[in-house]
Amino acid sequence: MSEYKSDLLIIGSGPAGYTAGIYAARAGISSLLVSGAQKGGQLILSSEVENFPGFADPITGYDLMERIRQQAQKIGVHIIDDVITEVDFFDHPFVCNSEAGNCYTSRAIIIATGASVKWLGLPSEQKYIGHGVSSCATCDGFFFSGKEVAVVGGGNTAVEEALYLANFVEKVYLIHRRHSLNAEHIMQKRLFENRKIIIMWNNIIEEVLGNDDPLEVTGIKIRNIKTDRVQKLAVSGLFVAIGHHPNTELFRRYLRLDGGGYIATNGACGETDIKGVYAAGDVCNPYRQAIIAAGCGARSAMEAIKYL
Ligand code: NDP
């Protein structure tokens, strides 16, 4: 248990948090970055990143975040691997307490806590999480080599997961509740060209089917919302890729959220309603792009530096 005092506290270690740290360190601001439970944020679960400038060849999300962390450390960002569990924005300087029992006091704060996976909300889905139901193909896909799996969703994440899984599974069913995808054109093209991927348009998942002993998925029950036809698909895994929600729980008491549940800022990121508190990245906008989060981190740091 320790007491830390700094001018700036950055909460979160995704592209937004690390970039904010880099800008603050280069400006000579006394700052601390508390990483959160998932060091490197959501991107460490991404298989390949090919739209982050500076890399001619795709780089894994994990490697990209490791490089950014190393860059931050080299520049002098003080990173503490801890999880903030409580904040008090009523008094100034601000006080944050952590899982490790540490107390952080700072004059300014940048919230870069990112977003978390959305689940379908079916009881059968919850039952099999970790036993065939997953939200991360990069983490768990390998266990399904040679098997048939399903992915649910119609955005970039779902398409990316389906394409990744098709590298080593026998067949991928992409279950989508519409008749068109909202993924990038280039991703859709790759998807349509992949013979291992079968798209089940206009379908929703009604139930995840499986055994109790051992706890394992054996299939899914889907229903076509146009025809009402119900089918069972014999799959061993279900990957849920239906979006994310911003990690705002700690801050709701103090900060205004916008209509989408994101922390309201002056623009896509930066100043919140409380002077000295800034937000950056997926916690305050829906883009979920590493480069946008990094840009937000830089902007928030520049605003915080001016404030300090
Ligand atoms: P999106 O919000 O873009 O897509 C979510 C998808 O899930 C939609 O097709 C939605 O369908 C569907 N969906 C939502 N809720 C349900 C539900 N309860 N049951 C069934 N289907 C549901 O989320 P993503 O995670 O795909 O992407 C988020 C952001 O991240 C986007 O801006 C995306 O571009 C970005 N991203 C970029 C990547 C890249 O650049 N390589 C990789 C991954 C993400 P409906 O349309 O009917 O609501």
Side-chain angles (χ1 to χ4, degrees), residues 29-40:
I29 299 284
S30 113
S31 57
L32 286 174
L33 185 153
V34 176
S35 67
Q38 190 162 287
K39 283 180 259 170

Side-chain angles (χ1 to χ4, degrees), residues 48-65:
E48 285 195 336
V49 180
E50 61 179 16
N51 55 6
F52 197 91
F55 299 91
D57 295 315
I59 180 168
T60 68
Y62 181 86
D63 286 345
L64 178 60
M65 291 319 298

Side-chain angles (χ1 to χ4, degrees), residues 51 120 152-158 160 176-178 182 184 241-244 286-289:
N51 55 6
L120 292 166
V152 57
N156 267 326
T157 307
E160 203 174 78
H176 186 35
R177 62 185 181 184
R178 291 182 192 270
N182 61 333
E184 282 169 30
I242 60 168
H244 292 76
Y287 301 111
R288 289 197 67 242
Q289 297 295 305

Side-chain angles (χ1 to χ4, degrees), residues 11-257:
I11 309 175
S13 60
Y18 283 148
T19 308
I22 290 168
Y23 274 69
R26 281 174 48 85
I29 299 284
S30 113
S31 57
L32 286 174
L33 185 153
V34 176
S35 67
Q38 190 162 287
K39 283 180 259 170
Q42 299 164 83
L43 207 61
I44 60 160
L45 306 177
S46 257
S47 46
E48 285 195 336
V49 180
E50 61 179 16
N51 55 6
F52 197 91
F55 299 91
D57 295 315
I59 180 168
T60 68
Y62 181 86
D63 286 345
L64 178 60
M65 291 319 298
E66 267 305 298
R67 286 195 192 198
I68 299 177
R69 184 177 169 105
Q70 283 167 18
Q71 181 188 4
Q73 281 171 324
K74 204 165 166 190
I75 282 172
V77 181
H78 185 173
I79 301 170
I80 300 175
D81 290 330
D82 193 2
V83 181
I84 298 294
T85 51
E86 206 177 29
V87 301
D88 182 354
F89 292 166
F90 286 143
D91 286 328
H92 196 264
F94 307 117
V95 176
C96 298
N97 295 311
S98 78
E99 199 173 82
N102 296 325
C103 177
Y104 300 88
T105 307
S106 64
R107 290 171 57 214
I109 291 196
I110 296 177
I111 300 167
T113 47
S116 298
V117 162
K118 257 192 212 164
W119 295 100
L120 292 166
L122 300 169
S124 55
E125 167 199 55
Q126 297 301 305
K127 177 175 172 181
Y128 292 107
I129 289 176
H131 299 275
V133 174
S134 167
S135 64
C136 176
T138 323
C139 322
D140 302 326
F142 178 75
F143 300 114
F144 300 90
S145 296
K147 298 185 175 167
E148 297 192 4
V149 298
V151 174
V152 57
N156 267 326
T157 307
V159 173
E160 203 174 78
E161 301 263 281
L163 286 167
Y164 177 75
L165 289 162
N167 289 325
F168 43 85
V169 301
E170 183 62 27
K171 192 188 277 181
V172 183
Y173 293 100
L174 181 68
I175 319 293
H176 186 35
R177 62 185 181 184
R178 291 182 192 270
H179 200 93
S180 63
L181 300 165
N182 61 333
E184 282 169 30
H185 174 75
I186 187 171
M187 303 289 285
Q188 294 200 34
K189 190 166 177 287
R190 286 177 196 161
L191 185 88
F192 297 143
E193 284 169 1
N194 194 311
R195 290 178 173 199
K196 281 193 182 174
I197 301 173
I198 296 166
I199 308 177
M200 307 298 285
W201 300 111
N202 300 318
N203 272 280
I204 58 167
I205 298 182
E206 290 203 319
E207 195 181 349
V208 181
L209 310 168
N211 296 327
D212 279 351
D213 191 14
L215 204 55
E216 63 183 5
V217 170
T218 55
I220 52 172
K221 191 161 97 182
I222 60 171
R223 184 168 61 83
N224 187 304
I225 53 176
K226 299 271 182 206
T227 62
D228 243 4
R229 182 179 171 216
V230 173
Q231 291 182 71
K232 286 182 185 170
L233 302 177
V235 294
S236 310
L238 171 65
F239 291 84
V240 179
I242 60 168
H244 292 76
H245 59 83
N247 295 324
T248 56
E249 290 73 16
L250 282 178
F251 315 107
R252 278 172 195 205
R253 210 173 141 208
Y254 305 96
L255 296 174
R256 189 169 49 92
L257 305 183

